[in-house]
Amino acid sequence: MKSFAQIISTPTSDTLGTTLVLHFDNKRYLIGNLHEGLQRTSIERGTRLIKVADVFLTGKTEWKNTGGMIGMILTLADVASVSAAATTEYWTKKQTKRAQLQSEDGPGIGSRDSVITPAKPFLKIHGGPNITHTLATARRFVFRKGTPVEINEFKERQSNQQWEPNWRDENIQVWAMPIGPLESNNKLSFRKRQSPRKRSLDDYQEDLIHSPRTDDRGPNESNMSEEDIRNEEIRREVISDMFGSNWRLDALVEMPIASVKMPATLFTRDTITKKLANYTGPMPGGNQALPDINVLVRKPWPASQIAELPPTKPSSIAMSYIIRNYPQRGKFDPEKAVALGVAKGPQFRQLVNGESVITKNGHTVLPEQVMGETKPGAGFAVVELPSRDYVEPLVKRPEWTAPEVIEAVNSIVWNLGPGVTSDPTLRAFMIQHPHIKHIVSSPDHCSDSLSMGSAAAAAIRLNQIDPERFIIPIHNNTETPISTDTPYATDSQPVCIIAKIGMKIHLEPTSLVDESTAEPSLNTASVIEATPKNVLLLANAIRQEINSKNIQKELSRQNLPSPDAEIVCLGTGSALPSKYRNVSATLLRVPGCGSYLLDCGENTLGQLRRIYGPEEMLEVLRDLKMIWISHLHADHHLGTASVIKAWYEAIYGGSDEDNGSMNQEIEDPTPGSLTRAFNDHKRLCIVSEIAYLKWLKDYSSAEDFGYKKIIPLAVWGVLEDRKYSTEIKCNGIKVGFNTSDPQMNSGLKAVTGLSNLDAANVSHCHGAKAVSLTFPTGFKFSYSGDCRPSVGFTQIGKNSTVLLHEATFDDELAGDAVAKKHCTTSEAIGVGVAMGARRILLTHFSQRYQKIAMMDGIEGHELPLKFEDADPNADAENTNMPLEGVPETETIPLSELVENDASMEDMLGTSTPPSRNSESRLASSPPKTITQRVDLSALRKRDMKVGVCFDYMRVKVKDIALLEKITPALIKLYENEPELAEKSVASVEDKDEEEAGKQGTVNGNVEDGKGLSKAEKKKKRMGGGKMGRTEISEEERKAVRSGGRLFS
């Protein structure tokens, strides 16, 4: 059977780890790091993950290596579920047909295989300590049914064990190597490690033979305490409930109303009709007396009942693996068999299967007499050494001298931390194994090439149109050669090669390393040359117009507060990372106040590193005051831990030694201790709902990522007497910007750089909030997160300088926006008009709009805008489920409503939309809806300016007005990319749910394109214009002169 491993990621600015995919015909395996950005780079390269059933995590269990795990597991689980559903449907139809044949033709027909049960989908994650804990922390926002996920944390092999593999299946054998660093008393000082005595090969061999094995400190079941074993069982049960629970949405529990824990949706059953209805009387926790009645409430999903996980401790164990095929039998020699008297036919088969046969003459023929020599199973190793402290423990492991393990291993992929390549002990080890190809994957040597080539190419083209606002992602395609004193084999061929994406390690039928399959880096020069001349001519005309005295005079008259405040778009897509847009994240930089992250989706840190060089990146991190997380959907927060750790390293060097006493002032606070902590300017505020802050605390016991230095601020939107206000608490202590304690007020203002923060509950999922930030300069910035139009948001955002609002769908998909609780373009702009915002930026576009959102026909009419605010009594775990017997205004199947990403976590209490089958599901009371007509002509009357966000875009507040000017060139750019546009639309229209719905696109059929030929569809999408012209038309010139309005 043909098998090979292929490198799919190497260390770059936005893919921090090394990952391989091992291919067999029947199965795939992921080996290496599940780092942030892995899923997106897999989409970029077309790596199909549908057959992945086992993942082997290398290195330490820390977010750097596991930051993409939760998103990847959700994708793989969804892929497995869809595949299983399709298989079930296929076999159900087949069984039905057989049953029909049996009934028509009598007994016996179709009886064979009459009951077929498809294989149950599963996913196994193998790794070191704390993998179980890390995944269990996601129980508040991850829920999948019918796709069990199993965690296998490898233990250290007992000394008396034989060399049986730690794990095996039908394809491979795996020997796991948990490796710990040298004990602290054996560590060399930093200075000594920099200039060690070079060891000879004899020194190395002598040390390997005689020195005792270092303590790998791998967890061992036999020396775990009963409490540790019980805690591990709790974590495993949580994961079981997250992915394999039989929990149902319509399961209700009857209890006295006084026993109900709020928030929750309460139901009563009519004693006559037996139908359910929403309970509308006095609520628990309110001021009114409760009636003595029983009510029905939903039973929470099991994982949610664990308020806190048992704490764990950070582990220094780094996992590595040796992986081998099974031995391959030699080739059968039929001539020898015939000469020995073996009859052709069944006896040949018996010999091939390893069975002896007896010839007609009575002689016994053994398989080895007619079979060629058995070939050992080919293999390779993946070794991760985070630092030089791991080298000696690795090379002293007995696996390297055990023929049962190391035989036929032809290559080692070394995932090395900074400075490890030059370690003399590691070099000696390589010399000791000259027959092995050593593939080095290290940030010291691998090129920092553009991992997301499609997004980078789009950014480069945008940069040609407007280099001031669209940057070319920072990159370096040059590899750093391994130093000349790296070991060489006797034939002068280097035993070390630098890892490249696409490189293959073939196992069968031939064992070799193939460098010819490595992918070339993106050729930025060719991208620049490919941009049509007519686009460049139009862009040049626009730049001349922008630089004209009239336009510059207009800009100088804007009278905007903090005009040099900058909005940096790090992720403008929704749901899943895609080829062209990363998930939600925006950086706001306000001179004199600080920097602020508004949502922090997966790989936000990688996006920042592509925009800022090392020095400026350090400045951004040191200036970072606050991270705002709008809600618990995974696409809005899975990048937070890595950003906090980068900030922690920039401020404290990654060490918690200084000011350790300050930690207690936050963990167990008093008003006085909080005031002191607020005046410690080396703090980072994380502001969100309480459930997200609990996730950070859960994870903090597995890794020291800086949690003890953050200030967790939980926010609630409050509506009293038709007035909106905000409540803020820090670990249970009420704080704020305008409290009765002036020292508290000034401290919070100092640590955040703000003069006020207002939040409003919005209709999207439980806990979803929008926010308005007000600065001492008078600058006011409002951010919607994900939501329907909200009255509360318009109130707290009144007279905003800038509104950043989601615009997930175009106006033609208004039904989808209502069902999925998002906004259309017109609705987002309508909120800005109602708010009186001076500048509006639109973001969070559905991934069906791969490059540019549909923005036509908006201005100049009134919009009946439906404002929907969140129901404060909705279930904490389950919101917006349809109620039996209650009329629904929007009825769409659940499968059509779940948006690509981890959105099935909506069943955890997020925004699962209504179902057409109201008989089988339950709903909370719908959000309050207010319809208000908004006159969009105010865009002109109030001199509002509207812009569209793109990844890698940097725009100052004073320059938002210029975004409209460049729109004609943007339209022309994408008009002149018919092939790329066709490919983009095809990726949405034609991919099955396994890829489209789960790897970066939404199920978005273009209804108005039905019945058209391919050419007609292309012409329709491109606007019917001519392609590739080398001059601009008079209409285009007029558009430039008139300002190139975005909306017509």
Side-chain angles (χ1 to χ4, degrees), residues 720-778:
E720 288 183 316
D721 299 328
R722 297 187 179 183
K723 293 182 179 180
Y724 292 89
S725 61
T726 302
E727 185 174 297
I728 307 175
K729 289 185 178 181
C730 181
N731 286 335
I733 301 294
K734 190 172 181 179
V735 300
F737 293 87
N738 299 292
T739 69
S740 57
D741 184 345
Q743 289 186 327
M744 174 77 73
N745 300 341
S746 61
L748 190 56
K749 290 176 181 179
V751 77
T752 61
L754 302 172
S755 59
N756 201 12
L757 181 151
D758 291 299
N761 301 326
V762 293
S763 177
H764 179 66
C765 68
H766 176 75
K769 292 173 178 63
V771 68
S772 285
L773 308 178
T774 304
F775 295 85
T777 61

Side-chain angles (χ1 to χ4, degrees), residues 249-293:
L249 293 171
D250 55 1
L252 294 178
V253 179
E254 186 174 0
M255 64 176 64
I257 189 171
S259 302
V260 175
K261 184 179 179 180
M262 298 299 287
T265 304
L266 280 58
F267 304 98
T268 57
R269 189 180 294 278
D270 190 287
T271 56
I272 300 174
T273 65
K274 304 301 181 184
K275 288 188 175 181
L276 291 174
N278 284 96
Y279 170 76
T280 56
M283 290 289 187
N287 297 325
Q288 295 177 283
L290 295 175
D292 185 16
I293 62 171

